[in-house]
Amino acid sequence: MRIVIDAMGGDHAPGLIVQGALNAAAEWSDIQVVLVGDTAAIEACIQGSKPSNVTIEHAEEVIGPDEEPVRAVRRKKQSSMVIAGQLVREGKADAMISAGNTGALMTTGLLVVGRMEGIERPALAQLMPTMDDIGVLAMDLGANMDAKPEHLLQYATIGSIYRKQVDGLSEPRVGLLNVGTEERKGNELTKAAYDLLEASPLNFIGNVEARDVLHRNCDVLVCDGFAGNIMLKAMEGTASTIMGTLKTEFKRSMLTKLAAAIMMPGLRSLGKKMDYKEHGGALLLGVNGLVVKAHGSSDAKAVKNAIRQTRNALISNVTTCMANEISGK
């Protein structure tokens, strides 16, 4: 399993990106990690000897976080992100991971790696944490701001395949994000998508409200990228605010500090459950290879977990299964 890492993408590149990749390579000997970026900068981040399953692919350019995605991908052919995508397209790598410019990574997936046959719009999917630790695969979370009902049906199909192959769920429940659970709720998009999903062979359970997602009332949650991204950011912000408020309140007095000490195991468990670093990255599903978007502020732990997630998907052969089912083979 050959996994390419954009070593120059992200707020903490290349240092923590390289460190996370090295940690993953040391733990899983069945993967080959390719660090793409400025060779000198990457080598400076490697302390001690480099593991035998880690190689470096030089890239002269970097796509910055504020660059216009399509223009950057087309003009910077020698950037670390584009070269990583080319390695996947050419079959020299099985997957790529980047914590860099999200729009540029989506564009790389479409223009460089290429769409899967039968898929009009690849979707950004992420396993959102739930109270039972199984998670909900939500998609699309921002790859496409506008969508057609047919696109939501495609999201549901590829999301169901992913959960079957990677997570072992025999009949993943598909929910449609909406403002209410009643059948005729929502806008024109969700009403039309509801009809398509209900007529499909998928295990469609109907409309789902955002407030119930963390209780895993479905296994695959489909929505357009606009609504999905708002939901994701709202949940991330809420989790961060809750954890920050708890820390402040527990420091108010000696009594609250004692209470915090007693509750510490539970608080750590909650913090881990809600921490994006523990859950890997978001996957661009529907392209000819695994493309994973790690959080922009990923540290070494987040990078390692993104590689773990990618490795699990490769072991499950999810891309091939997805392509075969979509094309009817």
Side-chain angles (χ1 to χ4, degrees), residues 167-186:
D167 300 322
L169 302 181
S170 58
E171 289 292 332
R173 298 165 300 157
V174 176
L176 177 64
L177 183 65
N178 212 325
V179 295
T181 58
E182 297 86 353
E183 180 177 340
R184 302 316 299 171
K185 279 278 189 176

Side-chain angles (χ1 to χ4, degrees), residues 16 19 87 92 103 160 168 185 223 225 249 272 302 305 317 322:
L16 295 184
Q19 187 57 57
L87 291 173
K92 297 177 181 178
S160 294
K185 279 278 189 176
C223 54
E249 291 300 320
K272 186 174 181 179
N305 281 324
N317 200 26
M322 204 173 285

Side-chain angles (χ1 to χ4, degrees), residues 146-181:
D146 297 299
K148 297 178 181 178
E150 294 78 13
H151 298 155
L152 269 59
L153 176 60
Q154 289 182 358
Y155 301 164
T157 301
I158 58 180
S160 294
I161 297 169
Y162 183 91
R163 299 236 62 180
K164 287 178 184 177
Q165 292 297 124
V166 178
D167 300 322
L169 302 181
S170 58
E171 289 292 332
R173 298 165 300 157
V174 176
L176 177 64
L177 183 65
N178 212 325
V179 295
T181 58

Side-chain angles (χ1 to χ4, degrees), residues 84-96:
Q86 289 172 345
L87 291 173
V88 175
R89 182 191 65 195
E90 294 167 2
K92 297 177 181 178
D94 303 300
M96 68 170 287

Side-chain angles (χ1 to χ4, degrees), residues 6-55:
D6 172 14
M8 311 308 290
D11 299 341
H12 304 298
L16 295 184
I17 305 298
V18 172
Q19 187 57 57
L22 293 176
N23 293 345
E27 180 159 342
W28 299 298
S29 59
D30 57 354
I31 63 172
Q32 290 287 327
V33 174
V34 182
L35 295 167
V36 184
D38 182 85
T39 301
I42 293 173
E43 288 180 341
C45 300
I46 300 175
Q47 299 177 355
S49 60
K50 179 166 59 67
S52 59
N53 58 338
V54 175
T55 57

Side-chain angles (χ1 to χ4, degrees), residues 53-73:
N53 58 338
V54 175
T55 57
I56 299 173
E57 184 85 18
H58 182 68
E60 297 179 356
E61 299 175 301
V62 177
I63 294 179
D66 300 320
E67 293 191 60
E68 197 282 319
V70 176
R71 182 181 302 171
V73 170

Side-chain angles (χ1 to χ4, degrees), residues 93-106:
D94 303 300
M96 68 170 287
I97 301 172
S98 177
N101 185 314
T102 302
L105 185 62
M106 300 303 102

